[in-house]
Amino acid sequence: NAGVTQTPKFRVLKTGQSMTLLCAQDMNHEYMYWYRQDPGMGLRLIHYSVGEGTTAKGEVPDGYNVSRLKKQNFLLGLESAAPSQTSVYFCASSKAGGGRETQYFGPGTRLLVL
Amino acid sequence: GQQLNQSPQSMFIQEGEDVSMNCTSSSIFNTWLWYKQEPGEGPVLLIALYKAGELTSNGRLTAQFGITRKDSFLNISASIPSDVGIYFCAGQHSGAGSYQLTFGKGTKLSVIP
């Protein structure tokens, strides 16, 4: 039981390049989330999914797209990377929504956009 | 968006000392959560609080859900070197949209042996 895993761990992009971050969970959780963490900031929600085939915008969705084709995977895409997207990206999952469902976080993907 | 003010931003303490940090919000939350993040890792849940006035412990950690529902406190007693990390508070509503967490900016704790 690996929990939440993220691929890759670290990536360097040039401005304008595209990439996809992969999140996988093996806990059969319905809800999945993508956050970004910037220095001196808490985590901010980018997009989330309440089930396979569904996605919704979070607090800071601009410049990102997501897909949830399989229940266990949640992909975060950057179509045209910008330096402002340099950040650490965390994926999380929870059994369901609601105040009593713990969100479990992955180890993060560090992205540097030059 | 909603704001969570977490203080202090950082702390340097001697091993064995007690630690206190807090979070205040401009709005009411129905759940308060405290996470710890170690370097190179994702946040890990330490304590969850679901009721105003609730006081919950997890080993040397104790957290309280403020009566006004706009604040929460975390105390660490008899700190040890492995307590080093960044501690985040997070608030969560109930009902529609309740899966979204609002995070504080974190308290960076350094423990001097």
Side-chain angles (χ1 to χ4, degrees), chain A residues 79-113:
Chain A
E79 290 185 349
S80 179
S84 61
Q85 294 178 304
T86 293
S87 189
V88 182
Y89 292 86
F90 288 98
C91 176
S93 71
S94 63
K95 188 175 181 181
R100 290 183 181 259
E101 294 296 340
T102 301
Q103 291 188 21
Y104 296 88
F105 285 82
T109 293
R110 283 146 187 80
L111 177 64
L112 174 62
V113 182

Side-chain angles (χ1 to χ4, degrees), chain A residues 31 33 35 37 40-45 48 50 57-59 90 94 96-108 110, chain B residues 1-2 9 31 33 35 37 39-45 50-51 86 88 92-95 98-106:
Chain A
Y31 285 57
Y33 317 80
Y35 292 87
Q37 184 179 34
M41 301 285 289
L43 282 75
R44 292 182 292 169
L45 185 66
Y48 62 94
V50 301
K57 294 180 180 180
E59 181 186 353
F90 288 98
S94 63
R100 290 183 181 259
E101 294 296 340
T102 301
Q103 291 188 21
Y104 296 88
F105 285 82
R110 283 146 187 80
Chain B
Q2 295 176 35
Q9 282 188 318
T31 299
L33 307 166
Y35 285 86
Q37 184 179 25
E41 301 292 330
V44 174
L45 183 66
Y50 303 113
K51 187 177 176 181
I86 302 176
F88 290 99
Q92 192 171 28
H93 296 288
S94 61
S98 61
Y99 31 80
Q100 296 197 41
L101 299 179
T102 301
F103 281 85
K105 294 183 178 181

Side-chain angles (χ1 to χ4, degrees), chain B residues 8 12 15 17 21 23 27-28 35 55-56 58 64 67 70 74 76 79 84 86 90 95 97-98 100 109 112:
Chain B
F12 286 84
E15 183 177 357
E17 288 184 349
M21 60 189 78
C23 246
S27 61
I28 290 172
Y35 285 86
L55 187 70
T56 297
N58 178 6
Q64 184 162 24
I67 288 292
K70 291 185 177 182
L74 176 69
I76 305 173
S79 59
V84 165
I86 302 176
S98 61
Q100 296 197 41
L109 178 64
I112 304 166

Side-chain angles (χ1 to χ4, degrees), chain B residues 22-64:
Chain B
N22 70 81
C23 246
T24 59
S25 169
S26 57
S27 61
I28 290 172
F29 288 108
N30 292 305
T31 299
W32 280 96
L33 307 166
W34 285 93
Y35 285 86
K36 179 186 178 186
Q37 184 179 25
E38 298 187 6
E41 301 292 330
V44 174
L45 183 66
L46 298 173
I47 293 179
L49 301 159
Y50 303 113
K51 187 177 176 181
E54 180 180 354
L55 187 70
T56 297
S57 293
N58 178 6
R60 294 177 294 106
L61 277 64
T62 301
Q64 184 162 24

Side-chain angles (χ1 to χ4, degrees), chain A residues 22-76:
Chain A
L22 171 64
C23 176
Q25 52 92 6
D26 61 3
M27 297 175 281
N28 200 34
H29 284 172
E30 288 294 332
Y31 285 57
M32 296 187 75
Y33 317 80
W34 276 107
Y35 292 87
R36 62 177 287 173
Q37 184 179 34
D38 300 300
M41 301 285 289
L43 282 75
R44 292 182 292 169
L45 185 66
I46 304 171
H47 285 280
Y48 62 94
S49 167
V50 301
E52 182 179 322
T54 73
T55 63
K57 294 180 180 180
E59 181 186 353
V60 288
D62 294 342
Y64 305 96
N65 57 75
V66 288
S67 64
R68 183 104 181 265
L69 298 179
K70 293 183 179 180
K71 184 177 183 178
Q72 63 268 34
N73 296 335
F74 196 27
L75 279 62
L76 178 70

